mmCIF file with all atom_site columns, all heavy atoms in Angstrom:
data_model
loop_
_atom_site.group_PDB
_atom_site.id
_atom_site.type_symbol
_atom_site.label_atom_id
_atom_site.label_alt_id
_atom_site.label_comp_id
_atom_site.label_asym_id
_atom_site.label_entity_id
_atom_site.label_seq_id
_atom_site.pdbx_PDB_ins_code
_atom_site.Cartn_x
_atom_site.Cartn_y
_atom_site.Cartn_z
_atom_site.occupancy
_atom_site.B_iso_or_equiv
_atom_site.pdbx_formal_charge
_atom_site.auth_seq_id
_atom_site.auth_comp_id
_atom_site.auth_asym_id
_atom_site.auth_atom_id
_atom_site.pdbx_PDB_model_num
ATOM 1  N N   . LYS A 1 191 ? 94.407  70.965 129.372 1.00 98.00 ? 191 LYS A N   1
ATOM 2  C CA  . LYS A 1 191 ? 94.048  70.373 130.671 1.00 98.00 ? 191 LYS A CA  1
ATOM 3  C C   . LYS A 1 191 ? 94.895  69.136 130.947 1.00 98.00 ? 191 LYS A C   1
ATOM 4  O O   . LYS A 1 191 ? 95.500  68.993 132.002 1.00 98.00 ? 191 LYS A O   1
ATOM 5  C CB  . LYS A 1 191 ? 92.563  69.966 130.626 1.00 98.00 ? 191 LYS A CB  1
ATOM 6  C CG  . LYS A 1 191 ? 91.719  70.703 131.643 1.00 98.00 ? 191 LYS A CG  1
ATOM 7  C CD  . LYS A 1 191 ? 90.287  70.215 131.598 1.00 98.00 ? 191 LYS A CD  1
ATOM 8  C CE  . LYS A 1 191 ? 89.362  71.416 131.711 1.00 98.00 ? 191 LYS A CE  1
ATOM 9  N NZ  . LYS A 1 191 ? 87.957  71.079 131.502 1.00 98.00 ? 191 LYS A NZ  1
ATOM 10 N N   . GLU A 1 227 ? 103.337 90.717 105.405 1.00 92.00 ? 227 GLU A N   1
ATOM 11 C CA  . GLU A 1 227 ? 103.209 90.576 103.942 1.00 92.00 ? 227 GLU A CA  1
ATOM 12 C C   . GLU A 1 227 ? 103.853 89.271 103.482 1.00 92.00 ? 227 GLU A C   1
ATOM 13 O O   . GLU A 1 227 ? 103.308 88.534 102.687 1.00 92.00 ? 227 GLU A O   1
ATOM 14 C CB  . GLU A 1 227 ? 103.893 91.746 103.233 1.00 92.00 ? 227 GLU A CB  1
ATOM 15 C CG  . GLU A 1 227 ? 103.159 93.043 103.405 1.00 92.00 ? 227 GLU A CG  1
ATOM 16 C CD  . GLU A 1 227 ? 103.009 93.791 102.080 1.00 92.00 ? 227 GLU A CD  1
ATOM 17 O OE1 . GLU A 1 227 ? 103.525 93.331 101.050 1.00 92.00 ? 227 GLU A OE1 1
ATOM 18 O OE2 . GLU A 1 227 ? 102.353 94.844 102.094 1.00 92.00 ? 227 GLU A OE2 1
ATOM 19 N N   . LYS B 1 191 ? 95.091  93.958 100.754 1.00 98.00 ? 191 LYS B N   1
ATOM 20 C CA  . LYS B 1 191 ? 95.388  95.132 99.922  1.00 98.00 ? 191 LYS B CA  1
ATOM 21 C C   . LYS B 1 191 ? 94.665  95.050 98.577  1.00 98.00 ? 191 LYS B C   1
ATOM 22 O O   . LYS B 1 191 ? 93.987  95.971 98.160  1.00 98.00 ? 191 LYS B O   1
ATOM 23 C CB  . LYS B 1 191 ? 96.902  95.184 99.644  1.00 98.00 ? 191 LYS B CB  1
ATOM 24 C CG  . LYS B 1 191 ? 97.578  96.392 100.257 1.00 98.00 ? 191 LYS B CG  1
ATOM 25 C CD  . LYS B 1 191 ? 99.068  96.407 99.929  1.00 98.00 ? 191 LYS B CD  1
ATOM 26 C CE  . LYS B 1 191 ? 99.836  96.847 101.148 1.00 98.00 ? 191 LYS B CE  1
ATOM 27 N NZ  . LYS B 1 191 ? 101.281 96.733 100.992 1.00 98.00 ? 191 LYS B NZ  1
ATOM 28 N N   . GLU B 1 227 ? 86.209  73.864 124.447 1.00 92.00 ? 227 GLU B N   1
ATOM 29 C CA  . GLU B 1 227 ? 86.486  72.432 124.648 1.00 92.00 ? 227 GLU B CA  1
ATOM 30 C C   . GLU B 1 227 ? 86.037  71.628 123.434 1.00 92.00 ? 227 GLU B C   1
ATOM 31 O O   . GLU B 1 227 ? 86.738  70.763 122.955 1.00 92.00 ? 227 GLU B O   1
ATOM 32 C CB  . GLU B 1 227 ? 85.732  71.920 125.882 1.00 92.00 ? 227 GLU B CB  1
ATOM 33 C CG  . GLU B 1 227 ? 86.290  72.447 127.175 1.00 92.00 ? 227 GLU B CG  1
ATOM 34 C CD  . GLU B 1 227 ? 86.502  71.347 128.204 1.00 92.00 ? 227 GLU B CD  1
ATOM 35 O OE1 . GLU B 1 227 ? 86.122  70.190 127.950 1.00 92.00 ? 227 GLU B OE1 1
ATOM 36 O OE2 . GLU B 1 227 ? 87.055  71.660 129.266 1.00 92.00 ? 227 GLU B OE2 1
ATOM 37 N N   . TYR B 1 246 ? 75.596  95.009 116.355 1.00 98.00 ? 246 TYR B N   1
ATOM 38 C CA  . TYR B 1 246 ? 76.300  95.904 117.277 1.00 98.00 ? 246 TYR B CA  1
ATOM 39 C C   . TYR B 1 246 ? 76.484  97.289 116.649 1.00 98.00 ? 246 TYR B C   1
ATOM 40 O O   . TYR B 1 246 ? 76.232  98.318 117.277 1.00 98.00 ? 246 TYR B O   1
ATOM 41 C CB  . TYR B 1 246 ? 77.657  95.312 117.662 1.00 98.00 ? 246 TYR B CB  1
ATOM 42 C CG  . TYR B 1 246 ? 78.348  96.103 118.757 1.00 98.00 ? 246 TYR B CG  1
ATOM 43 C CD1 . TYR B 1 246 ? 78.124  95.801 120.097 1.00 98.00 ? 246 TYR B CD1 1
ATOM 44 C CD2 . TYR B 1 246 ? 79.189  97.166 118.458 1.00 98.00 ? 246 TYR B CD2 1
ATOM 45 C CE1 . TYR B 1 246 ? 78.720  96.542 121.108 1.00 98.00 ? 246 TYR B CE1 1
ATOM 46 C CE2 . TYR B 1 246 ? 79.793  97.912 119.465 1.00 98.00 ? 246 TYR B CE2 1
ATOM 47 C CZ  . TYR B 1 246 ? 79.562  97.591 120.784 1.00 98.00 ? 246 TYR B CZ  1
ATOM 48 O OH  . TYR B 1 246 ? 80.140  98.321 121.778 1.00 98.00 ? 246 TYR B OH  1
#
Side-chain angles (χ1 to χ4, degrees):
Chain A
K191 242 183 222 172
E227 290 227 357
Chain B
K191 245 181 220 173
E227 289 228 355
Y246 188 89

